[in-house]
Amino acid sequence: MGVRGLHGFVASSCPHVCTVVNFKELAERHRSQHPGGTPTVVVDAMCCLRYWYTPESWICGGQWREYYSSLREFVRTFTAVGIKLIFFFDGMVEQSKRDEWVKRRLKNNREIAKIFHYIKSHREQPGRNMFFIPSGLAIFTRFALKALGQETLCSLQEADYEVASYGFQNNCLGILGEDTDYLIYDTCPYFSISELSLDSLDTVMLCREKLCQSLGLSLADLPLLACLLGNDVVPEGMFESFRYKCLTSYTSVKENCDRRGNIILAVADHISKVLRLHQGEKKLEEMLPLGPNKALFYKGVTSYLLPGQKSPWFIQKPKDVVTLDKQILSMSSDPESKQEVPMCMDPESKQKLPVGTDPEFNLEAPMCTNTEVKHEDPVNTGPEAKHQVTMVTDPEILKVARAQHVQAESYLVYGVMSSGEVECSNSLEDATDQALPSQAFVYRPVRQRVYSLLLGGGAGGFSTSPAVKEWFVYSGNPLRQPDLVRPLQMNIPGGTPNLRQLWLSQEPGIQAQRLDTLLACFDLSSSREELQAVESPFQALCCLLVYLFVQVDTLCLEDLHAFIAQALCLQGKPTVELADLQLDHIDPRAVQLATLLVRGLTTLVLVNGACGSPWEMADFMPWHLFDGKLFHQKYLQSEKGYTAEVLVEQNRSHVTRFHTLKSVVCKACGKESRPIVSRRHWRPHHAGRWGRPGSSSHGTSSGCSRAGHRQHWRDQGPGSRQYEPDQWRRY
């Protein structure tokens, strides 16, 4: 993440760049200098997730009540000293960063494999050194923060750009995150989340002005340095030979620096002593070995320019350069307002150093007139958006989807409608488990029906409607290209309603139509009456369990008992009791079952948003329905044959509800010819484990199967991609 090697270089060779500061003191100083203003910290939430997740247990699917409490404490601590927080989440993966995204996902796959190997060997959770954030953490954190009354925003491009832009345009106190790109952007001060002490509100500020002094550069040189070192846009290997040449000609090699540190010093020295001699006279491609990578390099440098900023390294706009003219920026409440110069506090002189006071920083140098980034209201489709090729033709509906996306009120919907491309990161899944499928396949039929709702059938019906590009991580997927997944027609009495009806209509009965559409996405219209009789929040849970048990025929009655018992026992249970709960051992199958359920809850977020929100989002937030350790406990107990009374901890009202919810799920599954039986009644070679008779392991992603219209995960192929048969043998 960020600039390659820069974090280690700053820590080992430029420690003076890092200064301990106190947020309470900074806020007081800000108020004295800006009477009537509110000190605001912009938070890169994606950088903070692993620091926010403080519960000891992480392997069982997430300690969501504990996590919610830690977020509440985080917000309360800053609010108590008068600091406003603005949270940004990644909303899109830019095409120029897709390779880096894939590289990280494949690395995560290897880490997850090690985690499951450890569990099987030791029957316990690995140490924190192998920590992996629970599945769905980023998605549910958005809704948790919104529930806590916080302003939470989702980016229309990489979040770090919008974070830096918001901080720059709104004179914010600073940025809280963990990404060296924030040392490159010419924006407000950058604070480290990893060094934050919540008790004292002390943290470390990384000062880009001091970094420039150490390197002999100006602030305007930092984007050039970042791209020559390698970042998320420009691959590190692209300029490896160039960096080596810089190092061999560098005469001030420091013994206290490692090789990477000396390379950074050497490249900075080359910029200041060689390249700057021709700044404004020669193009970058005349001074650097850009070759066929010229457009990518220019894009990398330009990606650091915030609204209104220009680079002295550009003397004209290269004809084949992809600039950021059409990038969509975010969140300035007053785009016309004049912005104050961001300041960085020098802790020794106690003087504010205006950004850009370095004598080398010259905004008047010849530059490209078209590299200035234009600001656009994130909620209204401006002139750039009109030229954007989208998957839907209704501008009003697209505008609504965009607004909901920016306000972090939906999941994946805008990605489907705007670009037809979505992604889902890693989940804690055992690649060697032959019986349990990946969540990517289990919920694909639901997503396909959502695609049909969002995109329509097209003039030629669903067979000719556009495919959605899915970058979903699962075992055996090399992620060299996306799965091409076509919409799947829904079975709704009276036909599929259009989005204007579902999203904008206030007519009587529309809420019932929204619910019909939601159930149709899960192909559960026949169970509407039973599900509607269940009270919240268990209505959403039962919907999900019915779908899961119909789709995954290796789930048994003991699994159902564990899912229901933990949801019932969770109600009213104090957070401290959940934190103190101890498990006999960790079972790898239970870990993956927890992943399936939590990913099902994220799928409910997608479906509910696409259908116009027939259910309250709170009804399927995990802190109301699921606790990892509690589920694991109930799973282990259920495997031992514990009775319902013991599973629900002898609570009489829970016993009654347990049997009611179990009856609803079993009856609905029975309608789909899916009896739920005890594992003790399975034949030695249960059909579900080895494949349902007549099912195909090489179907397509747009086919139909059981019950005429039902799409089962085992009947799916990987979309339009071709794979070696061995890669799909397990399915």
Side-chain angles (χ1 to χ4, degrees):
M1 180 179 286
V3 183
R4 304 299 180 262
L6 189 56
H7 182 272
F9 171 76
V10 168
S12 62
S13 304
C14 299
H16 63 285
V17 170
C18 305
T19 306
V20 176
V21 294
N22 181 271
F23 272 119
K24 183 177 180 181
E25 295 174 0
L26 291 175
E28 291 172 352
R29 188 179 301 128
H30 187 278
R31 278 189 289 268
S32 67
Q33 294 166 350
H34 304 88
T38 301
T40 301
V41 171
V42 197
V43 183
D44 185 337
M46 301 301 288
C47 292
C48 300
L49 293 177
R50 62 175 48 246
Y51 303 101
W52 286 334
Y53 191 86
T54 56
E56 181 182 345
S57 173
W58 49 269
I59 197 70
C60 299
Q63 301 309 109
W64 296 97
R65 284 271 179 90
E66 295 175 61
Y67 180 62
Y68 188 88
S69 295
S70 70
L71 284 177
R72 182 169 53 209
E73 180 62 18
F74 181 88
V75 169
R76 186 201 65 78
T77 302
F78 278 89
T79 303
V81 297
I83 293 178
K84 179 182 178 181
L85 300 172
I86 307 264
F87 298 88
F88 278 81
F89 287 81
D90 276 330
M92 300 281 183
V93 176
E94 294 179 32
Q95 290 305 315
S96 60
K97 297 191 176 185
R98 178 63 70 185
D99 288 347
E100 183 63 28
W101 184 90
V102 167
K103 181 180 177 182
R104 292 174 188 166
R105 302 293 81 74
L106 296 178
K107 179 175 181 288
N108 288 346
N109 277 345
R110 296 189 291 271
E111 294 174 356
I112 291 172
K114 292 177 182 177
I115 289 171
F116 274 97
H117 178 75
Y118 184 95
I119 295 173
K120 293 171 185 177
S121 302
H122 299 83
R123 303 182 79 203
E124 65 181 16
Q125 175 178 279
R128 192 76 179 188
N129 62 310
M130 295 180 72
F131 171 74
F132 199 88
I133 65 171
S135 301
L137 192 70
I139 299 163
F140 291 120
T141 302
R142 303 179 198 171
F143 293 98
L145 290 169
K146 291 180 79 68
L148 291 168
Q150 298 304 293
E151 186 170 349
T152 307
L153 302 165
C154 204
S155 70
L156 290 161
Q157 57 191 87
E158 281 290 314
D160 57 0
Y161 184 90
E162 296 196 6
V163 167
S165 182
Y166 187 97
F168 170 68
Q169 293 181 306
N170 293 277
N171 191 34
C172 291
L173 186 65
I175 292 167
L176 184 61
E178 201 68 25
D179 188 337
T180 47
D181 277 333
Y182 294 126
L183 269 173
I184 306 300
Y185 287 110
D186 186 359
T187 183
C188 58
Y190 161 41
F191 305 108
S192 169
I193 181 66
S194 66
E195 299 293 335
L196 175 65
S197 167
L198 206 56
D199 291 335
S200 64
L201 278 179
D202 285 344
T203 190
V204 165
M205 179 181 73
L206 293 91
C207 185
R208 57 187 69 87
E209 287 79 11
K210 290 186 176 181
L211 175 64
C212 286
Q213 292 168 9
S214 299
L215 298 175
L217 300 176
S218 69
L219 287 168
D221 298 329
L222 292 179
L224 188 63
L225 174 70
C227 292
L228 290 173
L229 296 178
N231 55 21
D232 291 349
V233 176
V234 182
E236 186 177 8
M238 187 175 291
F239 292 99
E240 188 171 359
S241 59
F242 169 79
R243 292 193 297 270
Y244 178 75
K245 290 179 181 178
C246 289
L247 182 61
T248 55
S249 61
Y250 184 52
T251 58
S252 304
V253 173
K254 294 184 178 180
E255 294 183 1
N256 62 335
C257 274
D258 58 12
R259 176 181 169 82
R260 189 182 284 270
N262 275 307
I263 286 176
I264 292 175
L265 290 170
V267 172
D269 185 71
H270 185 82
I271 292 173
S272 64
K273 294 181 179 177
V274 179
L275 300 186
R276 192 175 291 143
L277 294 175
H278 306 286
Q279 188 183 62
E281 298 174 0
K282 291 185 178 181
K283 302 175 185 178
L284 285 175
E285 59 267 32
E286 295 176 307
M287 298 185 283
L288 294 169
L290 301 187
N293 303 308
K294 180 172 66 172
L296 182 62
F297 186 80
Y298 271 94
K299 181 176 178 62
V301 174
T302 310
S303 69
Y304 289 108
L305 300 181
L306 302 179
Q309 294 180 351
K310 299 178 182 179
S311 172
W313 290 100
F314 296 152
I315 61 173
Q316 69 177 43
K317 183 176 181 179
K319 295 179 182 178
D320 57 345
V321 170
V322 180
T323 69
L324 296 188
D325 288 347
K326 294 183 180 179
Q327 277 190 339
I328 301 170
L329 305 181
S330 171
M331 320 315 161
S332 173
S333 57
D334 182 8
E336 300 299 325
S337 64
K338 306 236 178 208
Q339 304 303 328
E340 297 185 34
V341 178
M343 300 289 184
C344 175
M345 179 65 68
D346 186 323
E348 296 179 2
S349 64
K350 302 295 183 185
Q351 293 179 343
K352 291 182 184 174
L353 305 176
V355 173
T357 53
D358 190 301
E360 298 287 349
F361 189 88
N362 179 16
L363 284 176
E364 298 302 318
M367 60 191 75
C368 167
T369 58
N370 287 314
T371 57
E372 181 175 337
V373 184
K374 298 177 181 178
H375 177 76
E376 180 189 338
D377 183 345
V379 177
N380 296 304
T381 50
E384 284 82 4
K386 290 179 181 177
H387 298 292
Q388 182 184 3
V389 178
T390 61
M391 301 286 280
V392 297
T393 56
D394 188 332
E396 185 176 1
I397 285 298
L398 190 63
K399 181 179 178 181
V400 172
R402 191 169 182 260
Q404 290 175 343
H405 171 89
V406 169
Q407 297 301 320
E409 295 170 351
S410 65
Y411 168 58
L412 298 185
V413 171
Y414 183 64
V416 173
M417 299 177 72
S418 62
S419 64
E421 191 164 10
V422 292
E423 56 273 322
C424 180
S425 189
N426 306 77
S427 302
L428 276 176
E429 297 178 331
D430 184 3
T432 65
D433 191 319
Q434 297 290 313
L436 289 176
S438 169
Q439 64 87 21
F441 290 111
V442 171
Y443 298 109
R444 177 179 281 178
V446 180
R447 298 194 302 275
Q448 287 178 272
R449 296 186 187 97
V450 171
Y451 299 159
S452 74
L453 179 66
L454 298 178
L455 303 179
F462 288 91
S463 62
T464 60
S465 57
V468 173
K469 298 177 182 178
E470 285 192 348
W471 295 90
F472 275 59
V473 181
Y474 52 84
S475 176
N477 183 4
L479 293 170
R480 285 191 284 268
Q481 55 190 359
D483 289 334
L484 302 181
V485 180
R486 293 198 177 279
L488 187 65
Q489 189 168 7
M490 288 191 289
N491 183 30
I492 304 180
T496 304
N498 61 52
L499 293 181
R500 281 183 170 267
Q501 289 174 283
L502 292 175
W503 292 8
L504 305 177
S505 175
Q506 302 295 325
E507 293 294 320
I510 189 61
Q511 200 68 359
Q513 193 173 22
R514 288 168 180 152
L515 179 58
D516 286 339
T517 309
L518 182 147
L519 294 177
C521 288
F522 287 94
D523 207 7
L524 296 177
S525 299
S526 62
S527 300
R528 187 187 200 281
E529 187 176 340
E530 292 89 342
L531 291 171
Q532 203 165 16
V534 178
E535 73 274 24
S536 63
F538 304 113
Q539 192 177 58
L541 177 66
C542 285
C543 171
L544 190 55
L545 289 178
V546 173
Y547 178 82
L548 259 182
F549 276 76
V550 170
Q551 284 286 313
V552 185
D553 38 18
T554 51
L555 297 180
C556 61
L557 194 60
E558 288 80 3
D559 300 328
L560 179 62
H561 288 174
F563 280 128
I564 294 176
Q566 72 85 28
L568 290 171
C569 292
L570 181 61
Q571 310 306 309
K573 195 175 281 287
T575 302
V576 65
E577 185 177 337
L578 294 169
D580 292 340
L581 194 153
Q582 299 297 313
L583 299 172
D584 294 336
H585 65 274
I586 298 297
D587 186 293
R589 184 174 184 273
V591 171
Q592 189 155 343
L593 288 182
T595 293
L596 277 177
L597 186 79
V598 173
R599 284 299 189 189
L601 294 176
T602 65
T603 304
L604 267 171
V605 174
L606 163 65
V607 177
N608 195 58
C611 296
S613 300
W615 284 339
E616 295 290 333
M617 282 291 188
D619 287 350
F620 38 89
M621 291 298 108
W623 45 90
H624 294 312
L625 286 172
F626 182 81
D627 179 87
K629 280 197 298 183
L630 187 60
F631 168 71
H632 219 93
Q633 181 193 61
K634 301 306 176 186
Y635 176 87
L636 296 177
Q637 292 174 348
S638 185
E639 285 287 292
K640 294 176 181 177
Y642 283 27
T643 64
E645 288 76 12
V646 176
L647 287 176
V648 298
E649 302 170 6
Q650 308 295 340
N651 184 306
R652 290 186 178 181
S653 65
H654 286 352
V655 172
T656 302
R657 279 184 170 179
F658 178 93
H659 289 295
T660 300
L661 298 180
K662 175 183 173 181
S663 175
V664 167
V665 175
C666 289
K667 183 178 179 181
C669 288
K671 289 183 177 181
E672 303 297 338
S673 302
R674 166 58 164 108
I676 304 176
V677 299
S678 169
R679 183 173 286 113
R680 294 190 293 274
H681 298 156
W682 279 1
R683 299 187 302 276
H685 296 290
H686 177 62
R689 181 178 295 273
W690 306 111
R692 178 175 296 276
S695 70
S696 166
S697 62
H698 294 280
T700 67
S701 64
S702 58
C704 299
S705 61
R706 309 183 345 178
H709 58 268
R710 179 170 298 285
Q711 172 83 340
H712 190 269
W713 76 268
R714 292 185 184 277
D715 299 322
Q716 301 174 54
S720 64
R721 303 199 318 191
Q722 299 299 316
Y723 286 88
E724 295 296 326
D726 283 352
Q727 292 178 301
W728 297 97
R729 183 171 294 163
R730 60 175 287 210
Y731 303 124

